[in-house]
């Protein structure tokens, strides 16, 4: 018999995952383009694991995983699961310098696996063991905000010991310090940040700057050449900001107002289409004059096309993060905490940021990054300055009921 599980996904949520698989960030490779900040790509295995009958969640009222024995002192090993191409490698791609340095310093052997291809598939892989109170075989994992929130809510993440995280505690950037799903970062620390901005092709706009959602939706010179994203949190979140609403604290009426604003853009044919990662080719060619874009794409596109520009709206921008978690029943929590803290040391954080070119969540990294590449250190898409940080906003966590209702409205809007 099917078990009642309030965290089961609705048809609308599954439709959002299918969009991510075919065109969203969940379908992209790590170095070239950004991955979904909302709901990850869908695979048959992941879908099956999330929707089929199974073991009900082993919830704890306090949200904490039951204490498990830590074998870190006796077993100098760490099993670390991450996304592909999300770690620095040597030029010959035969070694991972920062991981090797960590091993030499601590004597801990890191068994590093690039076995996360998307959030949903990975959750489907580890969910049965977590629900049964078993060790997943992983001491440290990297997952996106929405999944990190779900794992913590279900009591499947171990609470971190702040006394073992002096660098992480001191150097975590203020904009990532207290997400609503993990206030004070009791269970998680960000690996990287992901920003949503406005990108435009200056040749296609005849030199005009595009720097607001209002301009995207109302400027007649852009009609039919504007793109928004198929990721609900990005498109709706940026529209909420443009309307003076806080994505971290909005009502259903606010959400409906943003949907209505976007619907007008669809009805008047101001919006050409809602896209996943495929906007990059259209923007590069000028078929799209301007669009919402993921910061990593902008960095990649600018390397080959000087006409590609970006703007951070005065109203602000949406940011999310990929996060380090220690799963319940992991055998080597202490070793995992040592590695988390290691990547918050400024020289180490700079080496990682220089390689992967994502938003670095480590405050004060700029000077160290400048020693490696001055241009990267000055790029606010990698190292946000105070002005950009002040404009950063997170999309609040949604209840299961809200997520179902909101995804249904957004799916109707984009015609998916």
């Amino acid at each position: 018999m099917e078990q009642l599980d309030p965290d089961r996904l609705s048809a609308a949520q599954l439709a959002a995952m299918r969009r991510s698989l075919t065109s969203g960030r969940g379908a992209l490779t790590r170095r070239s383009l950004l991955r979904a900040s909302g709901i990850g790509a869908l695979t048959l295995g992941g879908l099956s694991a999330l929707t089929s009958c199974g073991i009900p969640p082993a919830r704890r009222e306090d949200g904490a995983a039951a204490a498990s024995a830590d074998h870190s002192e006796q077993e100098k090993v760490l099993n670390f699961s991450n996304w592909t191409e999300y770690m620095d490698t040597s030029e010959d791609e035969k070694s991972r310098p920062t991981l090797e340095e960590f091993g030499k310093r601590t004597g801990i052997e890191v068994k590093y696996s690039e076995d996360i291809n998307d959030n949903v598939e990975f959750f489907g892989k580890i969910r049965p063991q977590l629900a049964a109170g078993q060790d997943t075989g992983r001491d440290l994992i990297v997952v996106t905000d929405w999944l990190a929130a779900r794992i913590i809510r279900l009591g499947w993440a171990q609470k971190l010991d702040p006394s073992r995280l002096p660098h992480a505690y001191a150097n975590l950037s203020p904009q990532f310090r207290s997400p609503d799903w993990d206030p004070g970062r009791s269970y998680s620390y960000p690996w990287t940040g992901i920003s949503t901005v406005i990108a435009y092709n200056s040749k296609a706009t005849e030199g005009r700057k595009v720097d607001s959602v209002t301009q995207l939706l109302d400027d007649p010179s852009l009609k039919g050449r504007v793109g928004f994203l198929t990721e609900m949190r990005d498109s709706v979140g940026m529209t909420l900001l443009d309307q003076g609403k806080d994505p971290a604290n909005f009502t259903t009426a606010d959400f409906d107002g943003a949907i209505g604003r976007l619907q007008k853009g669809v009805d008047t044919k101001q919006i050409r289409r809602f896209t996943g990662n495929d906007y990059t080719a259209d923007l590069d060619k000028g078929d799209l004059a301007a669009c919402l874009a993921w910061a990593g794409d902008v960095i990649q596109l600018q390397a080959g096309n000087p006409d590609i520009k970006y703007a951070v709206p005065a109203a602000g921008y949406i940011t999310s993060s990929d996060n380090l978690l220690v799963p319940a029943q992991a055998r080597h929590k202490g070793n995992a905490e040592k590695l988390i803290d290691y990547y918050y040391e400024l020289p180490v954080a700079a080496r990682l940021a220089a390689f992967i070119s994502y938003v670095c969540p480590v405050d004060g990294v700029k000077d160290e990054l400048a020693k490696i590449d001055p241009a990267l250190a000055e790029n606010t898409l990698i190292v946000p300055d105070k002005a950009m940080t002040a404009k950063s906003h997170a999309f609040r966590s949604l209840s299961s009921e809200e997520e179902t209702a909101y995804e249904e409205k957004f799916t109707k809007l984009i015609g998916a």
Side-chain angles (χ1 to χ4, degrees), residues 18-342:
R18 292 188 182 95
R19 292 197 301 272
S20 284
L21 176 63
T22 57
S23 62
R25 279 177 287 176
L28 311 180
T29 60
R30 269 302 180 183
R31 287 301 304 280
S32 61
L33 298 171
L34 286 173
R35 176 182 54 72
S37 66
I39 299 178
L42 176 66
T43 65
L44 183 59
L47 172 59
S48 174
L50 287 174
T51 60
S52 64
C53 298
I55 303 169
R59 296 175 181 273
R60 287 173 56 87
E61 293 301 319
D62 59 4
S68 58
D70 188 359
H71 301 269
S72 295
E73 289 299 321
Q74 298 79 27
E75 300 173 5
K76 296 297 183 181
V77 66
L78 173 64
N79 297 297
F80 183 10
S81 284
N82 204 346
W83 296 73
T84 58
E85 300 190 62
Y86 221 13
M87 179 66 71
D88 59 299
T89 60
S90 59
E91 289 187 10
D92 61 9
E93 299 186 353
K94 292 182 179 180
S95 65
R96 299 183 175 92
T98 58
L99 278 182
E100 289 190 357
E101 181 180 308
F102 174 78
K104 291 176 182 178
R105 183 194 300 185
T106 63
I108 297 170
E109 178 188 2
V110 180
K111 297 182 178 179
Y112 185 76
S113 300
E114 294 181 329
D115 60 345
I116 305 179
N117 295 309
D118 65 76
N119 286 295
V120 173
E121 178 190 36
F122 183 67
F123 188 49
K125 189 185 300 183
I126 65 175
R127 186 179 191 269
Q129 294 161 302
L130 291 171
Q134 299 172 351
D135 180 13
T136 66
R138 299 167 176 84
D139 302 303
L140 195 61
I141 61 176
V142 178
V143 293
T144 306
D145 288 350
W146 73 270
L147 182 52
R150 177 170 293 177
I151 290 173
I152 292 169
R153 185 172 68 245
L154 291 171
W156 294 344
Q158 295 196 48
K159 195 169 186 177
L160 302 174
D161 183 349
S163 70
R164 294 177 176 174
L165 299 163
H167 295 98
Y169 183 82
N171 295 336
L172 177 60
S173 174
Q175 76 180 99
F176 296 107
R177 279 197 174 270
S178 195
D180 63 355
W181 47 269
D182 186 17
R185 291 288 181 180
S186 296
Y187 297 90
S188 68
Y189 269 87
W191 181 249
T192 55
I194 303 169
S195 302
T196 303
V197 296
I198 292 175
Y200 60 99
N201 186 315
S202 60
K203 184 176 181 180
T205 65
E206 298 181 345
R208 291 190 302 278
K209 184 177 182 179
V210 182
D211 60 4
S212 72
V213 170
T214 291
Q215 190 175 357
L216 288 175
L217 292 173
D218 294 342
D219 187 339
S221 71
L222 301 176
K223 185 173 182 177
R225 299 187 297 154
V226 169
F228 277 74
L229 296 166
T230 56
E231 299 290 346
M232 181 262 288
R233 288 166 176 79
D234 293 315
S235 287
V236 174
M238 292 290 281
T239 305
L240 283 168
L241 284 169
D242 190 70
Q243 294 179 312
K245 306 297 182 180
D246 183 359
N249 184 27
F250 64 88
T251 65
T252 294
D254 295 333
F255 182 90
D256 290 345
I259 290 290
R261 182 83 169 94
L262 290 166
Q263 185 65 58
K264 181 180 178 181
V266 172
D267 295 342
T268 61
K269 301 189 185 305
Q270 179 78 6
I271 298 175
R272 182 186 184 98
R273 63 194 183 102
F274 289 82
T275 72
N277 65 292
D278 47 328
Y279 73 82
T280 54
D282 287 346
L283 183 64
D284 191 44
K285 291 185 295 184
D287 292 342
L288 282 178
C291 61
L292 294 188
W294 297 309
D297 297 3
V298 176
I299 294 171
Q300 296 292 329
L301 287 170
Q302 286 181 325
N305 185 345
D307 294 325
I308 302 300
K309 312 293 184 183
Y310 78 92
V312 178
Y317 67 101
I318 293 293
T319 190
S320 59
S321 59
D322 282 338
N323 307 277
L324 294 153
L325 291 178
V326 178
Q329 303 303 318
R331 290 179 61 87
H332 310 109
K333 175 174 174 284
N335 292 342
E337 288 167 332
K338 286 182 180 179
L339 188 133
I340 293 172
D341 198 59
Y342 169 75

